[in-house]
Amino acid sequence: PRVMTVATTDSGGGAGVLADAKAIVRAGGFPLCALAAVTAQSTVAVDAVAALDPAVLRAQVATTAADIGLDGVKTGMLATPELVATAAEALAALDPSEEVPVVVDPVLRAESGASLMAAGGEEAYRRALLPLATVATPNLLEAQALAGIDADDPALLARTLHERHGCAVIVTGGHGRSAADTLCDDEGLVEVPGVRLPRPTTHGAGCTHSSTLATLLAAGVPLREAAARAKR
Ligand code: PXL
């Protein structure tokens, strides 16, 4: 399956489009990319961010989809509210008959705490991108920011975001008490169990998870099975 990551580079390679490409290949897909921004970063700091011209982001999606075609998409770091809106417009222009699954990983902050989204990003996700998502994969902190609810309850957050935006939602585990992911789709809530790995190097874990999920969905694996395999 041809899987496009609409996201940003991490020069350190742990997160961003390189992590996405590695995960897409590992899950059996062929990676394509539409870059939103470029960062200079290590595992501990983001030292520079340059957002690209939205017209260039739009063209990467349109040109690639028109010739090569897409079986699945994931969005990652989009850097600015304007680029979130542009990514949404570009994905809305895809042929609806192809029913390309779209995984929206709403990237707001790095694991190091550095901001990866300009002010107004949450609202752009709510308005433009979540309504187009097949499934969104916020971590606990991103789910709180998107829902505007300051609660540590992933089930409440997943259900609230699912009911408001229509997409399936996986609140990924690891930031709260449980390592399990919490999934809410039209059939309701389910826990996706997983182990907490005893290591501090979690940089890029969200990118890897959402890219694996997008590749499995692109291959036709049903959501709940894909969520379990991506968690593993
Ligand atoms: O894991 C979120 C993320 C996504 N994209 C880029 C990143 C990070 C985290 O650091 O750098 C480019």
Side-chain angles (χ1 to χ4, degrees):
R2 301 152 295 182
V3 182
M4 172 169 272
T5 168
V6 182
T8 290
T9 66
D10 161 6
S11 59
V17 291
L18 285 179
D20 295 335
K22 287 179 260 190
I24 292 165
V25 169
R26 178 105 194 251
F30 181 83
L32 313 167
C33 72
L35 279 193
V38 175
T39 74
Q41 64 176 301
S42 62
T43 59
V44 292
V46 181
D47 285 337
V49 181
L52 298 182
D53 181 340
V56 177
L57 175 60
R58 188 193 312 272
Q60 291 172 86
V61 177
T63 299
T64 312
D67 173 37
I68 298 173
L70 307 177
D71 300 305
V73 174
K74 76 144 274 187
T75 70
M77 174 179 167
L78 296 168
T80 68
E82 193 182 7
L83 285 165
V84 173
T86 302
E89 285 164 24
L91 295 176
L94 297 178
D95 183 349
S97 72
E98 294 185 5
E99 295 182 15
V100 176
V102 176
V103 177
V104 171
D105 186 21
V107 176
L108 302 174
R109 257 170 216 293
E111 292 285 340
S112 65
S115 176
L116 298 175
M117 173 54 70
E122 292 89 341
E123 181 50 28
Y125 272 110
R126 286 191 285 260
R127 183 172 33 81
L129 205 45
L130 291 180
L132 294 180
T134 306
V135 53
T137 59
N139 64 30
L140 185 65
L141 309 173
E142 290 157 350
Q144 289 170 339
L146 291 171
I149 298 174
D150 187 20
D152 276 348
D153 179 355
L156 170 72
L157 295 166
R159 187 183 285 289
T160 301
L161 291 170
H162 171 64
E163 283 172 359
R164 282 188 195 160
H165 302 291
C167 54
V169 175
I170 299 172
V171 177
T172 58
H175 289 89
R177 276 183 301 280
S178 170
D181 294 348
T182 304
L183 188 160
C184 187
D185 59 12
D186 289 340
E187 267 84 71
L189 277 164
V190 66
E191 282 220 338
V192 183
V195 292
R196 194 187 294 273
L197 300 176
R199 56 178 70 119
T201 50
T202 53
H203 179 68
C207 305
T208 301
H209 171 262
S210 56
S211 295
T212 305
L213 182 63
T215 307
L216 294 172
L217 294 175
V221 177
L223 176 64
R224 289 185 170 201
E225 182 189 338
R229 286 170 60 183
K231 176 67 164 172
R232 265 204 308 279

